[in-house]
Amino acid sequence: MASDDNVIVKEVNDYFRLYKSGRVERFYDVHGSFYVPPSPENPSAGAFSKDITISPHVSARLYLPENTTAGQKLPVLVYYHGGGLCIESAFFTWTHRYVNSLASELNVVAVSVNYRLAPEVDVPIIYEDCWTALQWIASHADENSNSNNNNNNDSWLTNFCDFSKVFLVGDSAGGNIVYHMTMRAGKETLNNNNEVKIIGSICAYPYFLIGDVDIDEEGLAYKIWVNICPTLEFGLLSPIDSPLINPLCEKAPSLSGLGCSRLLLCMGKKDYVIPIEIGGRFVEEVKKSGWDGDLQFVEIDEGHSFQIYKSESEKAKRMMKCYDAFINR
């Protein structure tokens, strides 16, 4: 009889394999993704970086531009990494290099959130982890944060951040998370502090599946989702009827509740993972919802999350300038 540790329950090629024992195998080598250490003492590519534990299940890598001076207050950029909600880490190659560049080129204090992954945890738990990180970040806006009972406050956030200028950014699955965090921020205050404001949210190639856009059931996005989605929680007939993945479904909240002042949606014309039509439908519904913020929709003649892997390309540099105009205008 085969050991439970060798019996495969679920598998998505090149992403993960779940065994009956509960063990999960992830194929990071396929993606060229591996752990890289932070640079807390000597800046790398224009920024210092360090790791911090937020809660037993949530951690983050923080970035501070190397030319930051005492008393300077910078916007806060909270980054949620991609990976289909099932792979990657804030501490791995591609995410580290990219967020390091965001901090140095946009002149922001960046917090790259490391959350738990499916299939070990259900997707709603991932959102809770990400909200926990956002609440922790917001707690530093309290003038008395250094003297309160929270022993894991961070001096970079306390000393160098302007909490009236908070921006959420995410690619792919991270774009999905940014959407959910922004919706929740429309209903709840951050750390009970009305002074903390999400000025802008950037959803790049967000991991959405929308029912009235043709979905390739053999495609990567669908295959991952059907292997991690909590269908029983919503009593769904179809996995893409879930408000977790479909912001336009019947059970999803009104987009008028978006809790930011500005929203930037970036989609790729050559994206084989998330069709550009999904971005178009999302934009249409945001406009119809009555949300009174500033909406920008950028179409890029490239593939999925290309700027992370082709950061030196001219199109990636133009995308960085677009982010700069959005954040530092």
Side-chain angles (χ1 to χ4, degrees):
M1 180 180 294
S3 165
D4 284 354
D5 202 42
N6 294 317
V7 177
I8 299 172
V9 178
K10 296 179 179 181
E11 181 173 12
V12 178
N13 286 341
D14 294 341
Y15 277 74
F16 74 87
R17 184 179 291 152
L18 173 65
Y19 294 89
K20 190 174 181 180
S21 65
R23 179 171 68 93
V24 176
E25 181 181 9
R26 291 185 169 87
F27 304 106
Y28 286 118
D29 56 329
V30 174
H31 304 274
S33 189
F34 52 86
Y35 171 82
V36 289
S39 302
E41 303 296 336
N42 299 302
S44 173
F48 296 96
S49 56
K50 63 180 176 180
D51 297 341
I52 191 163
T53 298
I54 295 172
S55 76
H57 301 296
V58 185
S59 52
R61 179 161 288 181
L62 277 59
Y63 299 82
L64 182 72
E66 65 173 314
N67 294 324
T68 306
T69 57
Q72 189 175 7
K73 296 292 186 179
L74 303 178
V76 186
L77 187 153
V78 184
Y79 186 82
Y80 298 105
H81 69 77
L85 302 169
C86 63
I87 66 167
E88 287 302 335
S89 165
F91 310 132
F92 283 13
T93 330
W94 299 110
T95 298
H96 169 72
R97 291 174 182 172
Y98 183 57
V99 183
N100 198 102
S101 69
L102 290 174
S104 62
E105 296 189 38
L106 302 179
N107 202 34
V108 297
V109 176
V111 182
S112 183
V113 178
N114 200 57
Y115 50 85
R116 284 176 285 180
L117 300 171
E120 291 95 327
V121 301
D122 288 336
V123 174
I125 292 176
I126 295 174
Y127 298 143
E128 283 300 319
D129 283 355
C130 293
W131 185 254
T132 294
L134 196 53
Q135 291 281 59
W136 173 78
I137 293 165
S139 72
H140 292 76
D142 184 351
E143 292 181 356
N144 299 313
S145 61
N146 276 331
S147 59
N148 66 21
N149 294 324
N150 188 353
N151 293 322
N152 71 338
N153 278 349
D154 180 80
S155 60
W156 288 1
L157 297 183
T158 301
N159 296 331
F160 299 113
C161 289
D162 180 351
F163 289 97
S164 68
K165 297 179 181 177
V166 177
F167 294 84
L168 309 186
V169 182
D171 289 270
S172 193
N176 173 295
I177 293 170
V178 166
Y179 157 74
H180 283 284
M181 297 303 100
T182 306
M183 292 300 297
R184 186 163 177 177
K187 298 184 297 182
E188 303 177 30
T189 57
L190 288 169
N191 198 48
N192 296 316
N193 190 329
N194 289 319
E195 299 303 314
V196 180
K197 301 293 184 184
I198 298 177
I199 296 298
S201 293
I202 301 177
C203 297
Y205 327 96
Y207 187 16
F208 294 154
L209 297 173
I210 294 174
D212 58 359
V213 174
D214 286 340
I215 301 297
D216 179 6
E217 295 191 2
E218 295 301 315
L220 178 61
Y222 187 84
K223 281 186 175 180
I224 290 177
W225 183 245
V226 296
N227 278 284
I228 67 172
C229 67
T231 53
L232 295 178
E233 181 174 347
F234 297 99
L236 305 175
L237 296 176
S238 167
I240 60 173
D241 288 335
S242 168
L244 304 181
I245 198 73
N246 184 351
L248 309 186
C249 72
E250 183 178 348
K251 296 180 183 293
S254 170
L255 293 169
S256 64
L258 284 163
C260 60
S261 302
R262 307 202 297 267
L263 177 64
L264 172 60
L265 180 69
C266 300
M267 301 294 293
K269 294 180 180 179
K270 299 176 182 177
D271 193 336
Y272 71 92
V273 181
I274 306 297
I276 194 169
E277 292 80 10
I278 285 179
R281 284 285 294 113
F282 181 75
V283 166
E284 288 175 12
E285 294 304 316
V286 171
K287 291 178 178 178
K288 290 179 184 177
S289 73
W291 177 66
D292 61 359
D294 177 17
L295 174 63
Q296 299 178 41
F297 182 31
V298 176
E299 300 179 11
I300 303 152
D301 192 23
E302 272 287 359
H304 193 70
S305 299
F306 82 98
Q307 83 285 2
I308 295 176
Y309 310 102
K310 301 178 182 178
S311 60
E312 295 304 312
S313 69
E314 287 304 313
K315 290 177 183 176
K317 291 176 181 178
R318 286 200 296 271
M319 191 169 175
M320 185 69 79
K321 288 181 180 178
C322 181
Y323 281 20
D324 188 21
F326 183 80
I327 291 172
N328 294 312
R329 73 181 194 186

